[in-house]
Amino acid sequence: MKRIFTTMIALALVSISTVACSSDNNETVEVQVDTASPVGAFTVSKAGTLTAQNGTPTKGLIETGVDNSNTTFVHLGSDFTTELGTGTATIYLSRTATFTASPGTGNPDLKLIGIVSKNGEAFYKVDGAIPAGLDYVIVWCGSANIPFGNGLLK
């Protein structure tokens, strides 16, 4: 009798954990990030520097501007450094130095720019013009849910 009861409890736990870990939501969101280099000269419109947060080594030059084809880019300078061990550092433009996500409704005050794949110089092509007021660059770590750094573009 004790074995039957133990077996039933074990099966119940497996059933609960299987249901709890399954996902009925098959919707996926795909973000295309274009890291193409500028065509011709890159003309800087705003620049700043990153300030580290949460004990990370985040630092470096940040810029926005356009190339000869009038394509908008966010540029991280050759001195750009951040923590890459998490694999989820991303670059955002924001109205404030604080990352404020709003997954249910989106957030016009926050624009995803790209995923950080390496330290050093990188260009991120921006789809269209940068909305007015998005004057901060934020380096955000999604897996730790913390900012790695931010900087004001002037």
Side-chain angles (χ1 to χ4, degrees), residues 18 21 25 44 48 53 72 76 81 94 108 111 114-115 119 126 139 149:
T18 301
C21 294
N25 183 0
V44 176
Q53 292 177 273
T72 303
L76 304 178
T81 303
S94 175
K111 180 175 180 69
I115 300 168
N119 286 319
V126 178
V139 180

Side-chain angles (χ1 to χ4, degrees), residues 86-100:
T86 64
T88 61
T90 49
I91 303 293
Y92 285 86
L93 288 173
S94 175
R95 290 197 191 279
T96 68
T98 304
F99 181 89
T100 308

